[in-house]
Amino acid sequence: MSATADQDPNPSRKQLGKESFRRLRALTCAELWQVEVPRFEAATGTERLARVGVVRAVGAVFARTGDHAQTATARAWLRRLLSDPEEKVRRYAAAALPGLGSDATDEAALLARLAVAASTSERKVLVDALAKIGGPATRERLIGSNRPEERVAVRKVDARLARDDDPGSIDPSAMVEGDDLRLHLRGRRGYERILAEEVEQRFGGGGQMRIEAIEPGLVALTPRRPFALAEIYRLRCFDTVGFALGAVAPDAGETEALARLLTGPRARQLVAAFTRGTPRYRIEFAARGHQRAAVRRLADRAHAICPTLHNDARQARWTAAVHDAAGRVGLELVPHVAPDPRLAYRVGDIPAASHPRLAAGMARFAGHATEEVVWDPFCGSGMELVERVLLGGVRAVHGCDVDARALDVARANFAAARRHGAPAAVVADFVQLDFRAYARRYLRPGSVSLILTNPPMGRRVHTPDVRRLIDDLLTVASEVLRPGGRLVLPNPLAPPRAPRGLRLRASQVVDFGGFDCRLELYEQGR
C-alpha cells in the first residue's frame, strides 16, 4: 500500500504505541486476558516491549468494566510485573495499579519497588502511584523528603487520610461577622443586573447587604451585620459565592503573598466557622488553565505555613480561587454547600435541560405580575416554569415538548417543587406536542400572560433552522398572549421582525454556556 497525504510513511514508535493502545483499550476484559496478555507473556526482547501497551490497557479496561474477581486477578498480575526486568514494564504496571481499587498489598509492593528503583523516572511513577493509594506506610517512607513530587505525595496522602476519617461538610447555618468581609457572587456574564436586583429585593435595598461593585460575571457585596450562608443561598441567580481574601501584585512574590492570604487569620476564621470536619481545599486558577506548577508551588508554601489545612482536589469543601482582574491577582475562598438547597426540586434532568441559574435569571428578567398564566413551548425538564412559580404570583403553568422523557422529568420536578415551596394551588399540565399544535389545541387567543422559554439550540441539541423556529414562536406568541403579556427567550440571531402588536422591550447579551445570546423581552400591545 502506498502512503497517502493522510498517512505517515514512517510513523514514530510513539505514534505506533498510541495506535496500539487505542486498539487494545477497545477490547473486553476477556479478550485482553485470554488473548493479549498471553501474547505479551510469550513474547521476548523487542517484540515484548512492542506489546507493552497491553499493561496500560489492562489497567484502563479492567478499571472501567471489570468485576471484583477480574480486577483482583489483574492487580496480582500488575504487582508481579513490578519486578519485571524491563523498567518500562515496571513503570506501566505501577501507573496502572491505582485505578483498580488498590489496597495495602499493592502499597507494600510499590514501596518495595521504590526502595530499589533503577532511575529517577521509575521513582517518579512509583511516587505518583503511592500518592494515589498510599497510607501511613507511604507517609512514613516519604516524610521529610526534599524531592518536590514526594512532598506533594505526602500532602495527598495526608488529605486522603483526613478525608477517609471525616469527609467533612459546610454548615450553611453557621453565623459569621460581616464587618470587614467582601462577598463575591459570581454567575453568568450578562446576568449581573438581574442578580443585583435580586440582592436589593432580598436584603432590603442595602440595609443588610450593600452592593459595592458590579462587574462582568460578578456582584460584590459588603455584609452590614452577622449572617449565615443559608441567607445567601436564598438568592437563586448566582453560581458561586466567595469570600474575598485580598489581592496581590502579579510578580515574583505572587506565590508567597497568595499563600499568606490563604493561611491568614481571616481565612482560618472562615474555614473554622463553616467547616464541619477536617478543612480541605483545592486550588483553581480561573481563566489560566490547569497551572499545575503554580498550584504545586502555592500548595507547598501554604502547607509549610499551615500544615493542618489540607490541599485535596477530591471532594474538597473549599476552593481557593485565583482571579486576575485590573492588573492584580485576587484570592477568594469558595465554600461548596452540598447538596445545593436551591436545587431540592431538581429530582430529574435531561441532557438539553436549561441550567437552573439561567432559568432563575430568565424568570426574573420577565418581571412580575399577579395571576400569571405561564407557558413554556419547549419545557424540557421544567426549569423555567419551576423557577417562575417559586417567585410567586402564578395561577397556572402549561408545558409542552416533543420529548416524552423530558415531560416525565418535568412532571417529577414540578411535583418535587410543590414539596419545597411552590404553591400547591398552581394548576400545571404537561403535554407531548409540538408548540404550534399545542397552541391551536389548548390555548385560547389572549389566554397567556407570560411565555418563558429556552428554545432548543446550541451544541447539545441540533435545530436545523433556528430562524424559522424563532419566527414561528413569535407568531404564535402574538396570537396567545393577552394585552400586556410578555415573551422571554434567548436569541442567538439578529433581532427578528416581530409580528404586529408584539414589541421588543428589553434585550441584553448573556453567556449561555460557551456562546452568547441576547435575552429578549417582548410585550404584546395593549
Side-chain angles (χ1 to χ4, degrees), residues 6-55:
D6 294 325
Q7 295 173 322
D8 185 348
N10 298 297
S12 68
R13 184 180 299 176
K14 186 175 182 180
Q15 288 173 319
L16 290 173
K18 287 182 177 180
E19 292 170 6
S20 175
F21 178 63
R22 280 195 294 267
R23 179 185 65 81
L24 290 168
R25 72 181 180 184
L27 301 178
T28 65
C29 291
E31 289 169 332
L32 282 171
W33 195 251
Q34 295 170 12
V35 179
E36 298 299 336
V37 168
R39 284 179 180 172
F40 171 77
E41 296 281 25
T44 59
T46 303
E47 183 186 356
R48 189 165 183 268
L49 284 179
R51 294 182 178 277
V52 73
V54 73
V55 181

Side-chain angles (χ1 to χ4, degrees), residues 215-467:
E215 301 172 10
L218 169 68
V219 176
L221 310 177
T222 298
R224 305 182 71 177
R225 60 164 177 78
F227 70 98
L229 277 175
E231 297 179 70
I232 304 300
Y233 273 82
R234 292 192 182 103
L235 302 170
R236 307 194 66 82
C237 295
F238 75 91
D239 288 332
T240 63
V241 54
F243 297 96
L245 299 179
V248 303
D251 54 25
E254 175 185 309
T255 297
E256 177 68 21
L258 289 174
R260 292 291 174 183
L261 289 176
L262 179 55
T263 60
R266 173 49 95 187
R268 295 191 196 193
Q269 177 192 8
L270 290 167
V271 169
F274 291 111
T275 307
R276 299 295 174 261
T278 303
R280 295 179 294 108
Y281 71 96
R282 65 186 297 271
I283 298 171
E284 177 182 284
F285 281 80
R288 288 198 200 175
H290 292 297
Q291 293 288 305
R292 291 184 179 88
V295 167
R296 185 177 66 247
R297 289 194 300 269
L298 179 52
D300 275 347
R301 188 64 192 124
H303 184 264
I305 299 170
C306 182
T308 59
L309 186 62
H310 296 288
N311 174 240
D312 181 13
R314 293 186 60 188
Q315 303 174 20
R317 302 311 178 190
W318 294 87
T319 292
V322 182
H323 292 272
D324 298 319
R328 303 280 285 175
V329 179
L331 182 65
E332 299 174 13
L333 269 182
V334 180
H336 298 288
V337 177
D340 189 328
R342 300 172 296 177
L343 302 182
Y345 69 83
R346 198 183 189 194
V347 297
D349 197 9
I350 59 172
S354 296
H355 190 284
R357 304 286 72 80
L358 289 174
M362 288 177 59
R364 284 197 164 272
F365 186 69
H368 192 273
T370 59
E371 293 294 299
E372 290 262 44
V373 176
V374 188
W375 176 38
D376 186 345
F378 314 95
C379 71
S381 62
M383 294 292 103
E384 281 80 13
L385 291 176
V386 170
E387 290 292 341
R388 179 61 193 87
V389 167
L390 291 174
L391 286 176
V394 175
R395 175 164 57 86
V397 297
H398 306 282
C400 63
D401 203 291
V402 295
D403 186 344
R405 294 169 300 173
L407 291 166
D408 288 340
V409 173
R411 294 184 187 100
N413 285 338
F414 202 84
R418 293 187 192 277
R419 299 191 294 269
H420 293 91
V426 175
V427 177
D429 70 85
F430 298 92
V431 177
Q432 184 185 4
L433 204 60
D434 177 82
F435 74 97
R436 305 166 187 87
Y438 182 90
R440 290 193 300 268
R441 188 177 303 179
Y442 291 98
L443 299 175
R444 302 187 312 276
S447 63
V448 176
S449 65
L450 173 63
I451 299 175
L452 182 65
T453 193
N454 186 359
M457 57 188 175
R459 292 189 296 268
R460 294 180 298 173
V461 178
H462 175 65
T463 300
D465 192 344
V466 175
R467 167 61 71 196

